[in-house]
Amino acid sequence: MCGIWALFGSDECLSVQCLSAMKIAHRGPDAFRFENVNGFTNCCFGFHRLAVVDQLYGMQPIRVKKFPYLWLCYNGEIYNFKQLQKQFGFDYQTLVDGEVILHLYNRGGIEQTASMLDGVFAFILLDTANRKVFLARDTYGVRPLFKVLTDDGFLGVCSEAKGLINLKHSTSLCSKVEPFLPGHYEVLDLKPSGKVASVELVKFHSCKDEPLHAACDTVEALPSGFDLETVKSNIRILFENAVRKRLMAHRRIGCLLSGGLDSSLVAAVLLKLMKEININYPLQTFAIGMENSPDLLAARKVAAHIGSEHHEVILNTEEGIQAIEEVIFALETYDITTIRASIGMYLVSKYIRKKTDSVVIFSGEGSDELTQGYIYFHKAPSPEEAAEESERLLKELYLFDVLRADRTTAAHGLELRVPFLDHRFTSYYLSLPAELRIPKNGIEKYLLRLSFEDSNLLPKEILWRPKEAFSDGIASVKKSWFSILQDYIDQQVDDLLLEKAAEKYPFNPPKTKESYYYRQIFEKHYSGRSSCLPHYWMPRWVKATDPSARTLKHYKSAAQE
């Protein structure tokens, strides 16, 4: 994890523009560098480094003697860089996994480069010999990337929007900052003036398609067919492989553990594999919640079962409420459920950074979208519509859960790893018949749970634990985080303000006091950027006015059961 930033064709003094790059310094607390591009005085790269691999030669932009005309700034981890080296005979000059991008590009161009990378990434590649700039982002947008491109060819690129919104330019303030679409690459011509012109934007991978890099994966061809035992075995093999490849790190590995199915599976498989490869320190797991909250109790049970070094962060109401503005600033969104769920994750990340030496943090993001874990999937009209909804959610992850997971951890200089969003694992799961993937017997993620039932990785009551919304599970069932927020915000927003909300905020107008409160804070920091959120996250197939699982009829608390 790191922060990348680049400008091409700036009319303003670069030493002034570079101040904007300091707004993402939290993403790389170990070192930073600004570097001008030879022959293009109005182009430069900025880089904030979190040193996870190759402590000596990991600074960026990466340049190697073999390709003096290539400049690379990237954020991410390429898990198959050694397999690609073996397959194509690449001669690496550093231990940096991202160096493979230069070799792939030299061998087969940008299309092959983006398609062959197994990992999470956002990169800016400059080819001064052919006067080209390339941008690319991984399939699910696990690593963030934003850009601004003016009519006269000034380009700004950054890991977070906050590094671009105050850039100055001769024709205008650069206000139209947009997320770069996941699973795409863009080709731009670089003019002698340093300005650029977009040539094409290409989608190189869809979540349903088996990735091109599967051909050189450590797990070879799997048994075909959809009989249940074969499917369960393939799911276990691919998920374990997804966790194993993410063990690549020179810094200590930890794991977020809510006690729900997803984070518990990740933690259990992670600890098993760490033992197998003789990692000689205990796995630290981290849970957050109010005293005796459902998540804390469940996480404690999982940690005892798997044998991790477990840390509990007790959340008090005042601390959670005080964090709201910091969280919205970090997130760059005003989406209701994203903000709610981010507060706990932000505070546990803060604890990890201050109190431990874990830096590479595993988490369970992506499972709800992939395996139909949201409670409203019980209301899907048909398996086919449930499958379509699952794909829609995966495509929008970069606006919601993946955004939350990246910003809350990156705000504290941590690197997140999400095995459920492994390209090979997700493409296989999505290839299964729709009927196999739907909730069964009143239980969501039924197939995933069934696949691990005989593994003894988790206690049965955890493996079959019903879905808790993260923002709800951190509080007691009697007084949820959802309710605590409502009580506080009700005192902060006047009824009259809410009545006139549509006049003040015509785009995505707030419908509740809570959404109004968040919107006010968002506009304070990111005025005029409301279009960054195309719509609020809301459940489908139910009459819901709030995204919380607690408002759905299917939701059952432990006290009710």
Side-chain angles (χ1 to χ4, degrees), residues 5-133:
W5 182 89
L7 297 185
F8 296 90
S10 175
D11 293 338
E12 300 291 324
C13 174
L14 286 178
S15 60
V16 175
Q17 299 277 51
C18 284
L19 294 173
S20 288
M22 299 313 293
K23 292 182 179 177
I24 59 161
H26 51 272
R27 296 190 69 89
D30 295 332
F32 74 93
R33 173 190 283 174
F34 293 118
E35 189 167 339
N36 284 46
V37 178
N38 302 344
F40 296 91
T41 55
N42 57 358
C43 302
C44 73
F45 288 93
F47 179 66
H48 295 276
R49 186 179 187 214
L50 179 68
V52 173
V53 296
D54 197 343
Q55 311 276 359
L56 187 59
Y57 294 110
M59 278 305 284
Q60 297 185 34
I62 296 172
R63 303 184 68 203
V64 296
K65 287 180 181 177
K66 191 171 183 181
F67 315 118
Y69 49 89
L70 296 182
W71 305 60
L72 173 68
C73 236
Y74 89 105
N75 170 207
E77 298 80 46
I78 311 303
Y79 303 122
N80 64 340
F81 77 110
K82 288 183 179 176
Q83 290 98 302
L84 291 170
Q85 179 184 33
K86 188 176 176 182
Q87 179 164 337
F88 298 123
F90 294 150
D91 180 20
Y92 292 157
Q93 294 174 36
T94 72
L95 299 176
V96 179
D97 51 288
E99 186 189 333
V100 70
I101 295 170
L102 301 176
H103 294 267
L104 279 172
Y105 171 72
N106 179 70
R107 181 184 182 277
I110 190 65
E111 174 94 35
Q112 186 190 61
T113 302
S115 302
M116 289 298 288
L117 298 175
D118 183 7
V120 293
F121 57 87
F123 68 75
I124 309 154
L125 176 63
L126 169 64
D127 179 346
T128 54
N130 293 294
R131 295 274 177 87
K132 298 286 185 188
V133 177

Side-chain angles (χ1 to χ4, degrees), residues 4 110 114 117 121-125 134-138 143 145 180-181 183-186 204:
I4 61 176
I110 190 65
L117 298 175
F121 57 87
F123 68 75
I124 309 154
L125 176 63
F134 304 97
L135 310 177
R137 190 177 181 191
D138 67 74
R143 290 293 174 262
L145 193 66
F180 190 82
L181 289 174
H184 286 70
Y185 69 80
E186 185 171 11
F204 66 85

